Amino acid sequence: MTPSPSRDDRLMSFGTQLIDTHAWLREELLLLREDVDSYLDGHGTRPRDLLAHCLTFCSALTEHHTGEDSGAFPVLAADVPELAPVLRKLTQDHHVVTTILHNLENLVDRCTATPDPAEARRLRAELEGLAAVLETHFTYEEKQLVAALNSLTTRAGTDAADAIRRAVTLGGRELA
């Protein structure tokens, strides 16, 4: 019989879970970009399907960032105070991403059966901007936080571990 992992063993993998979540979000963003390209090129994806995919991705990303801001970041700030400037920058990034997501959702919501060339340019530009911001954000976050998450020895106990788990795994769900 395999022994159950201790709290410290569970905490050791949070940085790795963050990387896995970012990888999943990157893959989903790539699929969304492919759907947008397919729609704008007049192939395949219907506007309603595109909107559903966009809203699903935006919701998952928002859930991840909200979990970080309200759960993981306060725990890290308490346990590793020198990360405070990094955590402030990451939170500011989350606000920028939120604005881009709203713009993207509005553009996708206006999609019609036949793409308008001007709208197509705006939609592609917004999506490319989101991809660039997210890649920079994810890379910075991973470089700054993974080691701290993997070595976290929180004094806050199980509640803190649960908050971090929810943040780094999209609400504690296993990623497919």
Side-chain angles (χ1 to χ4, degrees), residues 60-144:
L61 182 59
T62 299
E63 181 181 342
H64 172 64
H65 284 166
T66 300
E68 287 179 332
D69 292 342
S70 64
F73 290 179
V75 171
L76 279 171
D79 206 72
V80 190
E82 59 271 19
L83 283 177
V86 169
L87 299 172
R88 278 192 300 275
K89 182 196 179 322
L90 291 169
T91 299
Q92 290 170 346
D93 286 355
H94 293 170
H95 294 297
V96 170
V97 169
T98 297
T99 299
I100 296 171
L101 290 178
H102 287 300
N103 293 342
L104 182 62
E105 288 173 10
N106 289 332
L107 287 167
V108 172
D109 190 40
R110 291 196 311 256
C111 288
T112 59
T114 305
D116 172 79
E119 286 290 306
R121 284 189 298 277
R122 282 192 286 278
L123 180 54
R124 277 195 171 117
E126 199 70 36
L127 196 51
E128 293 307 311
L130 175 63
V133 167
L134 283 178
E135 187 55 39
T136 301
H137 172 77
F138 288 162
T139 300
Y140 178 75
E141 186 172 60
E142 290 165 5
K143 286 181 180 177
Q144 297 298 318

